[in-house]
Amino acid sequence: MEGLLRHLYQERASDPLTKGVLLVEKVFGQEPFTDFFDAVIIIISEEASAAKVKHYNCSGVEAALHVVTEEELFYWILSGTNRKMIDWLFRGKILFNKNEYITNLKLRLSEFPAEDRLRKTGNEFAKLIRRFEDGKALFHLHHYLDAFNHILHALHHLARLSVIEKGLYPEVTVWRQVREVDPETYKLYHELIVGDEGIEKRLELLMIAIEFAIRSKIHIGKAHLASVMEKKNEGWSYTELEKSPEVNDYVIDLEILLQYLVENGQVKKVEEPSKTSGVFHYKYVL
């Protein structure tokens, strides 16, 4: 396989901007992991304009070539928005490894340094709040199947938080990890999926348990946002927080996260007069 595909990546490997090349081969029974291609080649480049995807047939071998930038890669690692790429990083065979770049990258994923954990925790917690609150609202409107979907996603974010708490990077097969590190959260997932109760009763009971779990994790969940807000003594307007590049991973859920933290006494709202009489701006302080 490697020999058949060498001409696809050989020129890129000699490019001084290329940091590494990975090969992921299709495994029988797991074809979706390579998007049904026989092989996927990932080329990591410093050059922003290099990003592209191409498909090839090499003597009967169907291959996908993905050229990604370092910036994209680190964003996906921290935000979790391209989970297949993370899976490919874990599983891929190294074909080119400039200055041990990919080796160090895999080491970073396995060791999951504190700075990365803090940022990813903030991201997962914000998404957890969004999914849980939306699911709860749909439940009260008696849209039980839609509520089920949101609560299931909330459980996935809760599961990833549990894995991160243990210093591990949440893999694609996160429930395998959770079963080992947090049996209680795994039990919640199991009850939602295969519980004997009707869907309404299952959701009702699980929402109580999940709400308790969220409250128990609120201090670690708010830690990343708090680390941003601590950078200045005065309050932050929402616009200032929204524009902070450090919260970019979860900016879409920032408003609901802030309101949740306010309601639970973790962040304070401070009123400041505006130019219009009787109208006040909100600033947020820890």
Side-chain angles (χ1 to χ4, degrees), residues 123-239:
N123 183 32
E124 294 294 346
F125 189 73
K127 287 177 168 52
L128 168 59
I129 299 301
R130 166 62 69 190
R131 285 294 194 168
F132 178 70
E133 293 297 335
D134 284 354
K136 192 163 62 171
L138 288 164
F139 175 83
H140 291 312
L141 290 170
H142 309 294
H143 299 311
Y144 299 126
L145 290 177
D146 293 306
F148 182 98
N149 179 50
H150 282 277
I151 295 301
L152 179 61
H153 277 89
L155 276 172
H156 275 276
H157 294 300
L158 186 62
R160 292 186 191 114
L161 274 176
S162 296
V163 172
I164 295 166
E165 271 191 275
K166 298 296 181 182
L168 303 171
Y169 188 90
E171 298 175 17
V172 173
T173 51
V174 69
W175 288 107
R176 177 187 59 80
Q177 293 175 291
V178 175
R179 191 171 189 174
E180 297 175 8
V181 303
D182 188 357
E184 287 302 312
T185 297
Y186 182 83
K187 185 178 178 182
L188 293 179
Y189 176 71
H190 189 266
E191 285 299 316
L192 179 64
I193 300 300
V194 299
D196 295 328
E197 302 277 4
I199 187 171
E200 180 181 356
K201 191 63 177 177
R202 269 184 284 162
L203 286 170
E204 185 178 11
L205 294 172
L206 278 166
M207 285 191 301
I208 295 170
I210 294 170
E211 190 149 24
F212 177 80
I214 291 172
R215 291 182 189 277
S216 72
K217 294 182 186 294
I218 196 167
H219 290 288
I220 66 160
K222 74 166 189 178
H224 180 259
L225 183 60
S227 72
V228 175
M229 294 179 72
E230 285 169 352
K231 291 183 177 179
K232 66 175 189 174
N233 294 325
E234 65 270 23
W236 292 72
S237 70
Y238 178 75
T239 302

Side-chain angles (χ1 to χ4, degrees), residues 5 8-9 21-24 39-43 63-66 95:
L5 302 175
L8 295 182
Y9 67 85
V21 181
L22 286 159
L23 171 67
V24 184
V40 176
I41 298 170
I42 303 103
I43 295 172
L65 177 74
H66 290 251
L95 302 181

